[in-house]
Amino acid sequence: MIQVEHLIKMYGDLTVLRDVNAEIKKGEVISIIGPSGTGKSTFLRCLNLLDAPTDGSIYIDGQDILSAKANVPLLRRKMGMVFQNFNLFEHLSVMGNLTIGPIKLLGRSREVAKARARELLKIVGLAEKENAFPSELSGGQKQRIAIARCLSMEPEIILFDEPTSALDPTMVSEVLSVIRRLAKEGMTMAIVTHEMKFAHDVSSRIFYMDQGVIYEEGTPHEIFTAPRKNLTRTFINRIRSFHFHIANANYDLYALNAEVENFGEKHIFTPSRRNAVLLLVEEVLQLCFSIGDEAIANTGGVDLNLSYSENTDVVEVMLESHASIESVMTRHEPDDGLSKSIIAGLCASTEEIVEAGRRKLTLKLKN
Ligand code: ADP
Ligand code: MG
């Protein structure tokens, strides 16, 4: 359906896309991942000609869309785009947003356009909002309206540019659910996203973009569990884990817990596993910074690192410090008894090693 050959995009002297080659077939769901600034948005914008490619070819259904003869408005209509910031028409009601395109650009009658808009509102779960204005909607609702508006133009493919990254965490899943539904119904889509679990579940293929090219592509399994190339592996490992620096006993417990929860959500942990991670982190830090023991706080605090391996299904909590955390865990203070037995109950193993003068304690959570 879409064939991209040797696509190059430069902004002045800056080469953003060096040589992008890709094929997207009808019914495929492609997730595009990669570090920020590697040209993912630029790639989508070139695909639907919001940005003019510097060189290369893009074929849609066999037609070269960069040729002078191409019917650009028609080609663009085949491709819907959903942006990070929704881009709804603020002065129009939801119904207005969903009917203006079909009436003005597709030549639909008002009645037909309205009937279709109501069907689409049902699909995105917002049938009761047809008379609302964008300013009355939550971010998640706005994005679902933006998706409905995109569908109202009857696109053959939808390009999503980080559709959930402007949303509160609580609203991410309602938007992802709508996209999942479209995927199930066979919609062709290309999605730039940081939601790795989602990308893993919904995609037929993943493009990992880096260094101005599609650096590695493969099935979700290939990219997420067995990436072949270096940069992909580094990227996947980095997003799998989570860091937090705790300087002393006065750390922001709520911020830390929110991050831990977020980590658990990203990897779709069960509630009991999420609670186990929270409890373990809290109890270990409690011991590290317990009253009367300044050893860790006086040597710069602790770096906390959480990681999860889908391969082994193991969660690891790693603590790094200049002082020995294990000695904290094994010392005999009457007040520490409860924390210690909770930790022992949660962990399958604990191991401390010394590396470059730092002590690293790894706690493996029981499954
Ligand atoms: P990503 O979506 O992967 O984060 P982008 O496609 O937004 O990356 O940007 C890639 C690079 O292109 C960045 O270095 C960015 O600063 C640059 N860039 C993007 N759009 C423009 C533009 N309109 N003018 C100049 N540079 C741009
Ligand atoms: Mg971007």
Side-chain angles (χ1 to χ4, degrees):
M1 176 172 188
I2 298 184
Q3 180 94 35
V4 178
E5 289 173 2
H6 305 298
L7 181 68
I8 295 172
K9 175 64 189 178
M10 300 175 69
Y11 292 110
D13 290 341
L14 178 72
T15 305
V16 176
L17 303 178
R18 197 152 50 83
D19 183 12
V20 173
N21 296 280
E23 188 185 19
I24 302 176
K25 299 195 193 77
K26 203 168 166 46
E28 274 201 299
V29 178
I30 305 284
S31 287
I32 302 166
I33 63 172
S36 61
T38 47
K40 303 181 297 296
S41 298
T42 303
F43 177 49
L44 290 192
R45 286 202 308 270
C46 283
L47 278 184
N48 76 351
L49 300 175
L50 282 177
D51 240 341
T54 309
D55 203 357
S57 333
I58 302 174
Y59 299 94
I60 294 186
D61 294 335
Q63 279 192 64
D64 181 357
I65 66 171
L66 303 179
S67 94
K69 288 176 289 181
N71 181 346
V72 172
L74 178 73
L75 289 163
R76 202 177 271 157
R77 214 175 293 154
K78 291 186 177 188
M79 274 181 283
M81 182 121 177
V82 174
F83 302 89
Q84 187 175 332
N85 295 314
F86 331 125
N87 294 5
L88 293 176
F89 304 120
E90 295 289 328
H91 64 291
L92 293 180
S93 68
V94 164
M95 186 51 91
N97 268 279
L98 299 191
T99 52
I100 185 169
I103 293 170
K104 293 224 157 128
L105 298 170
L106 302 181
R108 303 281 182 270
S109 70
R110 187 164 297 276
E111 291 64 43
V112 168
K114 277 190 157 180
R116 178 65 183 147
R118 292 198 175 105
E119 284 171 28
L120 293 172
L121 286 174
K122 273 192 204 135
I123 290 176
V124 300
L126 292 169
E128 60 184 21
K129 295 289 185 195
E130 67 170 74
N131 295 317
F133 279 80
S135 59
E136 300 168 299
L137 303 174
S138 73
Q141 290 171 333
K142 279 187 208 178
Q143 192 60 300
R144 285 186 283 151
I145 296 296
I147 294 171
R149 183 182 59 178
C150 178
L151 291 168
S152 76
M153 293 301 288
E154 300 168 20
E156 292 178 19
I157 177 169
I158 305 183
L159 311 176
F160 290 89
D161 193 359
E162 301 196 18
T164 60
S165 56
L167 300 176
D168 280 352
T170 53
M171 294 172 187
V172 168
S173 82
E174 67 194 50
V175 171
L176 295 184
S177 301
V178 169
I179 302 175
R180 273 181 220 272
R181 172 166 180 180
L182 298 179
K184 243 185 231 144
E185 289 172 358
M187 190 74 202
T188 313
M189 299 188 281
I191 311 165
V192 175
T193 183
H194 292 293
E195 300 291 333
M196 296 301 152
K197 176 73 182 163
F198 166 76
H200 179 275
D201 294 348
V202 84
S203 312
S204 46
R205 277 188 301 150
I206 309 279
F207 292 172
Y208 172 72
M209 282 188 77
D210 207 336
Q211 308 207 321
V213 297
I214 296 178
Y215 178 86
E216 185 165 350
E217 69 167 275
T219 62
H221 179 77
E222 284 166 345
I223 297 296
F224 287 114
T225 51
R228 281 164 292 140
K229 296 174 77 178
N230 248 335
L231 292 178
T232 322
R233 215 169 319 166
T234 309
F235 178 79
I236 296 293
N237 284 336
R238 206 180 53 227
I239 50 159
R240 281 202 176 297
S241 59
F242 142 102
H243 296 273
F244 206 91
H245 180 75
I246 300 116
N248 55 47
N250 298 324
Y251 68 94
D252 185 340
L253 174 68
Y254 294 102
L256 174 64
N257 282 355
E259 297 254 11
V260 174
E261 290 255 20
N262 202 5
F263 174 82
E265 255 166 51
K266 270 220 164 72
H267 297 292
I268 321 283
F269 288 174
T270 59
S272 72
R273 179 179 257 179
R274 241 184 276 172
N275 285 336
V277 178
L278 273 174
L279 187 60
L280 179 59
V281 167
E282 193 174 338
E283 293 300 334
V284 171
L285 292 178
Q286 167 92 30
L287 279 184
C288 288
F289 296 108
S290 54
I291 308 196
D293 190 329
E294 305 276 293
I296 290 174
N298 287 342
T299 53
V302 174
D303 284 304
L304 172 72
N305 183 69
L306 297 185
S307 66
Y308 171 66
S309 157
E310 236 162 63
N311 265 340
T312 54
D313 193 31
V314 168
V315 183
E316 280 186 1
V317 176
M318 202 176 78
L319 297 133
E320 216 183 304
S321 161
H322 281 293
S324 171
I325 302 163
E326 196 170 40
S327 69
V328 173
M329 312 256 301
T330 49
R331 78 185 161 189
H332 295 285
E333 297 270 346
D335 296 348
D336 293 342
L338 186 58
S339 285
K340 277 183 207 150
S341 63
I342 292 174
I343 294 167
L346 290 168
C347 290
S349 71
T350 63
E351 188 195 18
E352 188 169 83
I353 58 163
V354 181
E355 208 177 275
R358 307 259 296 161
R359 290 163 182 276
K360 297 184 178 178
L361 176 72
T362 303
L363 307 162
K364 277 201 174 97
L365 201 71
K366 272 185 195 159
N367 277 359

